Amino acid sequence: MVIGAGIVGCSLADELTARGWTDVTVLEQGPLPAPGGSTSHAPGLVFQTGPSKTLTAFATYTVEKFGALEVDGLSCFNPVGGLELATTPERWSDLHRKAGYAASWGIRAELVGPARCKEMWPLIDESKVLGGLHTPDDGLARAVLACRAQIETARARGARFLDRHTVTGIDQEDGRVTAVVTDRGTFPADHVVSAAGFWGPVIGRMAGVDIPLLPLAHQYAKTAPLPELAGVNDPRTEASKPILRFQDRDLYFREHTDRIGIGSYAHRPLPIDAFTVPAYDDAPQMPSSYPFTEEDFAPSWKDCGWLLPALRDTDVAEGFNGVFSFTPDGMPVIGEYRALRGFWLAEAVWVTHSAGVAKAVAEWMIDGRPSVDVHDCDLTRFDDAQRSPSYVADRGAQQFVEVYDVLHPLQPMEQPRPLRVSPFYARQQELGAVFLEGGGWERPHWYEANAPLLAGVEPGVEVPERDAWSARHWSPIAAAEARVTREKVALYDMTPLRRLEVSGPGALAFLQRMTSNNLAKKPGAVTYTLLLDESGGIRSDLTVARLAPDRFQVGANSPADLDWLLRHAPDDVHLRDITSGTCCIGVWGPLARDLVQPLTRDDFSHEAFGYFRAKETYIGHVPVTAMRLSYVGELGWELYTSADTGLRLWDTLWEAGQRHGVIAAGRSAFNSLRLEKGYRAWGHDMTAEHNPYEAGVGFAVRMDRGDFVGRTALEQLGSPERKLTALLLDDPAAVVLGKEPVYVGGVPAGYVTSASYGYTLGRCVAYAWLPPLETGASVHIEYFGEKVPATVAEEPLFDPKMTRIRR
């Protein structure tokens, strides 16, 4: 059962039936084919290019699919292209960055000058424009037509579409969905997909599922007929010019034969309560269409005339405030709800990504996994602290405000902050910590207290000048913190890293089955291992410490890891997330042992406490679980304790460390150090789209033991056609940040995953997915339109013999 016959529900029915699941029923409360949701009023813009590789893949599939569909001889996609204008230097730079995304993700795009922009859109005032980004394969999706086309093909394969059926309940038994209840009867079902759009929270409440989605109204207006467009466009196709985006003023434009449609994000957020949206027959126009608020549009109308002078001689003939969905991070919400098996979500999906999302969900339902990585769309990605109605409302509204903003990849949301803080937060504030935010956590990126380290109080650190973009949310203080970590000792707050406890008689057998490495070691052993899916893709990487025969502490990445393990756990295994009740300090640097050893009665020598070992002990008065691990490539320990004793642990280490020159260091230095060692970051450097061998983590796979998830697929792999490759930029002053395209022989061949300046190496380090290349090969990374030379380097770049960690 699919709930909702908008563009997502219709696309999903088509994708499911195409794969052999033909017993599909789509329920819709309104009349088909335009039942009154967001699809019915959508202007149909499809721009494929953006910072998210996943969303770009969804949009690309949507273009391909809708371009192949026809209704009454009319294509469901009009490939007029897209044109994004820059009227400020900041936007013009951003379009260079966006052109880089296009090259990274395989989208055709070109930067064009004002004259070419004027040629494509004669109505613009060329003097206002610095340039544009032309994407010829973008265009207009005819969403209602695409629904009709897919209804026909799905029906031909056996699907039913029942309109005028309002869902009133979701039946369940023993943790599984069993039926959908409507005002016209009950429909048994093994699988139910909520594709209800901004009504998603209503359906979710019936199923006991919290859907973090905020419906918001967005203004759309149409001008009166323009003489300049008279006779230009065929009424059937409506448009011939590219979709025009004037993002400096939060506006976009498209043609409607002889009129222009205008969408605005410039107004105040207009949230809508999904539970009070009128029924189709009670709505003045349609449920998703609210009255046009002229006062909100007035400033935008002036901006329209500023860019398109012809509009000064006309007026707004009609308009409405159309409702659609926003999430706290701007991404869709898809996947199966574990606590109600068989209940799936395909929500917060715009027309742009509709067919791509439907394909991914269909693959997930039938094959067990999508063919593209969807971790940043997974419904499990939000922690409980990120699911409150207030959080969803605040962050969803901010997503609306920032739709067209130039956003830095490190830019944190403004509210609500602080939300999640470690026990060390007060001490970090005293040290002038500059916090960014991730997963709701306040994360120190550097400490202003360390600024004197750059001014000669300690040996100076030379840091190249940065351009304005890469200097945002960065400080040269990070270089000093990295240097102290390499030369003395530093404390790192590792609390936001997720921690799970796995216990019970079957814990070892369970973890052996679920992960790729061999965990059958004596208590006290720590193992780096991988969570794979059945195709051998890397779902996550884990650090597993065996603390007792039947008790393990697992360092994981996201809530999805716990969800995945809980789905497979037998009755004799108990899992719980202990992150919120615990904390962690990384004590790293060549003087780490000098700092820690006097604080404990246990022997922390290399012989007694080797690398990748764990020990439950005391540091001063504080009980800790100490693990001999280092994500920065230096001697040290991760020290875990309960949240209530965390502050005492920090103070104990800080006081004892003063004689050794200890500092607190932030994530900016941390990221630099880990890249110098070649340590991968799951979600950035590798995902479920990659297997261990091409990602460079094949050492975490042990094929000489029993079966484990993904083993069969790994046995069938051939030679890798791509590899995660270490690059060093040739120019000591050059930097890149990530997601830039990499050119081999002048042709885009891959993209950067992670990058940071390596302060020890004196070069920027970048990791990139590329075809296999020889060490020393020359490549170029495109950074804001400039081709920056780089060289393939041998890993690890720093301390290849691991002498600094194992001492």
Side-chain angles (χ1 to χ4, degrees):
M1 305 297 298
V2 178
I3 301 172
I7 190 63
V8 178
C10 292
S11 296
L12 180 58
D14 185 56
E15 295 289 337
L16 288 170
T17 56
R19 288 166 173 77
W21 279 27
T22 56
D23 186 7
V24 173
T25 300
V26 181
L27 300 173
E28 173 54 57
Q29 62 184 344
L32 293 175
S38 301
T39 299
S40 301
H41 71 245
L45 282 65
V46 178
F47 279 87
Q48 300 171 75
T49 305
S52 168
K53 181 176 180 288
T54 299
L55 290 188
T56 297
F58 288 161
T60 299
Y61 183 76
T62 300
V63 168
E64 294 172 354
K65 183 172 186 180
F66 291 177
L69 298 176
E70 283 190 2
V71 175
D72 299 331
L74 187 63
S75 173
C76 294
F77 185 76
N78 185 0
V80 293
L83 178 62
E84 301 182 50
L85 298 180
T87 61
T88 64
E90 184 183 30
R91 183 69 62 180
W92 185 227
S93 294
D94 187 60
L95 292 187
H96 281 76
R97 184 169 65 110
K98 189 167 286 185
Y101 290 148
S104 291
W105 315 143
I107 306 297
R108 288 201 303 157
E110 61 172 341
L111 292 161
V112 296
R116 177 64 176 139
C117 294
K118 176 76 171 179
E119 181 183 336
M120 287 187 278
W121 254 87
L123 296 183
I124 68 170
D125 181 347
E126 182 182 354
S127 69
K128 303 293 199 301
V129 177
L130 299 179
L133 178 68
H134 180 220
T135 46
D137 298 323
D138 292 335
L140 297 166
R142 299 184 175 95
V144 174
L145 276 189
C147 285
R148 286 181 57 191
Q150 293 176 108
I151 288 171
E152 291 176 8
T153 54
R155 276 177 172 163
R157 301 186 192 107
R160 294 188 299 171
F161 288 78
L162 304 177
D163 61 2
R164 297 293 189 173
H165 282 65
T166 299
V167 175
T168 59
I170 307 293
D171 285 349
Q172 51 188 288
E173 184 177 339
D174 296 329
R176 284 206 62 91
V177 69
T178 57
V180 177
V181 182
T182 76
D183 58 350
R184 298 176 64 179
T186 298
F187 297 84
D190 299 313
H191 297 273
V192 174
V193 185
S194 178
F198 62 80
W199 284 286
V202 178
I203 302 300
R205 180 174 293 182
M206 298 176 192
V209 179
D210 179 30
I211 301 178
L213 176 161
L214 178 70
L216 284 158
H218 161 59
Q219 290 200 298
Y220 193 77
K222 291 182 181 179
T223 67
L226 296 174
E228 293 85 352
L229 295 182
V232 172
N233 295 313
D234 183 336
R236 275 173 58 83
T237 58
E238 289 195 321
S240 58
K241 298 178 183 62
I243 309 163
L244 187 67
R245 289 212 279 194
F246 180 23
Q247 293 170 298
D248 288 321
R249 302 293 173 85
D250 295 312
L251 293 166
Y252 64 82
F253 307 87
R254 59 151 294 182
E255 295 172 295
H256 291 278
T257 310
D258 60 351
R259 301 195 290 169
I260 293 179
I262 306 163
S264 172
Y265 292 100
H267 56 85
R268 60 193 169 95
L270 299 168
I272 301 295
D273 184 351
F275 292 87
T276 64
V277 175
Y280 186 92
D281 294 326
D282 298 330
Q285 295 184 36
M286 65 177 74
S288 63
S289 179
Y290 278 65
F292 190 65
T293 49
E294 295 182 4
E295 66 277 11
D296 288 311
F297 194 71
S300 292
W301 183 239
K302 291 182 180 179
D303 291 335
C304 293
W306 182 83
L307 180 68
L308 307 175
L311 299 189
R312 299 171 189 167
D313 300 324
T314 186
D315 55 16
V316 174
E318 60 180 287
F320 65 97
N321 291 358
V323 183
F324 63 142
S325 303
F326 285 79
T327 59
D329 59 3
M331 299 295 286
V333 179
I334 63 177
E336 184 190 30
Y337 187 62
R338 177 180 46 80
L340 182 57
R341 298 294 182 92
F343 186 80
W344 294 78
L345 300 182
E347 298 291 11
V349 182
W350 295 5
V351 170
T352 304
H353 312 111
S354 54
V357 167
K359 176 174 180 276
V361 173
E363 291 172 334
W364 206 343
M365 296 175 71
I366 296 172
D367 303 328
R369 68 182 296 273
S371 57
V372 298
D373 171 58
V374 296
H375 80 272
D376 50 4
C377 306
D378 195 315
L379 65 90
T380 64
R381 68 186 182 274
F382 298 112
D383 276 301
D384 289 344
Q386 299 171 285
R387 303 185 75 95
S388 72
S390 296
Y391 184 94
V392 173
D394 289 347
R395 293 275 169 123
Q398 188 67 20
Q399 287 293 332
F400 178 90
V401 170
E402 294 179 347
V403 161
Y404 280 172
D405 286 1
V406 177
L407 298 177
H408 193 276
L410 292 177
Q411 183 167 325
M413 297 287 281
E414 296 176 0
Q415 294 294 335
R417 293 181 63 194
L419 180 63
R420 308 176 77 185
V421 299
S422 78
F424 329 127
Y425 184 65
R427 300 292 186 264
Q428 293 165 343
Q429 288 180 303
E430 292 168 2
L431 294 171
V434 176
F435 295 95
L436 300 184
E437 182 265 355
W441 287 99
E442 295 297 317
R443 300 185 178 196
H445 272 243
W446 67 87
Y447 293 84
E448 290 295 333
N450 296 325
L453 298 174
L454 289 170
V457 175
E458 295 287 337
V461 179
E462 294 184 6
V463 185
E465 292 280 336
R466 286 205 174 197
D467 65 278
W469 183 254
S470 63
R472 290 191 191 182
H473 307 297
W474 171 86
S475 169
I477 293 172
E481 294 176 359
R483 178 167 180 170
V484 171
T485 307
R486 290 278 188 239
E487 296 180 354
K488 295 182 180 179
V489 61
L491 306 183
Y492 288 82
D493 181 1
M494 306 303 290
T495 301
L497 299 184
R498 188 164 304 277
R499 292 171 291 284
L500 311 176
E501 183 182 78
V502 183
S503 59
L508 174 61
F510 170 65
L511 289 173
Q512 286 281 78
R513 166 65 182 160
M514 296 302 298
T515 70
S516 62
N517 212 330
N518 183 20
L519 305 181
K521 303 172 183 176
K522 294 180 180 179
V526 182
T527 307
Y528 177 79
T529 188
L530 306 172
L531 279 182
L532 304 179
D533 61 27
E534 292 289 354
S535 69
I538 305 171
R539 286 189 55 93
S540 187
D541 62 342
L542 310 176
T543 302
V544 181
R546 191 175 191 184
L547 303 179
D550 59 355
R551 180 168 59 91
F552 297 80
Q553 181 172 311
V554 177
N557 284 295
S558 76
D561 295 343
L562 177 61
D563 184 84
W564 176 256
L565 292 172
L566 285 170
R567 287 175 182 273
H568 296 85
D571 293 339
D572 61 349
V573 174
H574 179 66
L575 291 99
R576 65 188 184 106
D577 189 326
I578 60 173
T579 308
S580 298
T582 56
C583 58
C584 178
I585 300 175
V587 185
W588 291 314
L591 301 182
R593 184 176 287 114
D594 297 316
L595 192 165
V596 175
Q597 183 61 80
L599 301 175
T600 179
R601 296 183 179 182
D602 280 303
D603 187 351
F604 271 53
S605 68
H606 181 65
E607 294 73 20
F609 198 158
Y611 191 51
F612 266 81
R613 299 291 299 173
K615 184 177 295 187
E616 293 181 304
T617 182
Y618 288 86
I619 298 295
H621 297 91
V622 180
V624 302
T625 300
M627 297 188 195
R628 178 88 183 274
L629 304 175
S630 176
Y631 205 50
V632 300
E634 296 293 335
L635 171 69
W637 288 265
E638 293 178 358
L639 302 176
Y640 297 89
T641 190
S642 56
D644 59 335
T645 56
L647 186 59
R648 182 60 178 262
L649 176 62
W650 178 280
D651 289 344
T652 299
L653 293 167
W654 185 258
E655 181 180 350
Q658 294 308 301
R659 62 193 296 262
H660 302 293
V662 73
I663 65 166
R667 292 191 65 84
S668 186
F670 175 87
N671 198 45
S672 170
L673 296 167
R674 71 101 179 164
L675 281 171
E676 288 184 328
K677 284 297 294 180
Y679 295 148
R680 277 59 169 151
W682 183 86
H684 296 279
D685 301 316
M686 56 189 186
T687 69
E689 292 184 7
H690 310 111
N691 70 60
Y693 305 112
E694 60 189 7
V697 290
F699 64 87
V701 177
R702 291 292 299 272
M703 301 294 282
D704 58 349
R705 65 175 185 86
D707 193 21
F708 56 88
V709 175
R711 178 191 175 110
T712 301
L714 295 184
E715 290 174 334
Q716 299 170 357
L717 291 176
S719 299
E721 297 180 358
R722 58 183 178 177
K723 293 184 69 175
L724 188 61
T725 305
L727 304 175
L728 279 176
L729 274 61
D730 294 350
D731 182 353
V735 295
V736 297
L737 299 182
K739 300 187 179 181
E740 296 89 355
V742 182
Y743 289 75
V744 179
V747 178
Y751 60 92
V752 175
T753 59
S754 295
S756 180
Y757 198 85
Y759 300 110
T760 315
L761 301 174
R763 291 284 193 282
C764 183
V765 180
Y767 273 79
W769 281 103
L770 292 169
L773 298 171
E774 296 291 332
T775 299
S778 295
V779 301
H780 287 84
I781 303 173
E782 183 178 309
Y783 182 72
F784 285 92
E786 178 185 355
K787 300 294 196 303
V788 180
T791 301
V792 174
E794 186 174 355
E795 295 188 76
L797 305 174
F798 176 77
D799 188 26
K801 295 184 179 180
M802 303 285 283
T803 56
R804 299 176 70 89
I805 294 177
R806 294 189 171 101
R807 59 180 174 183

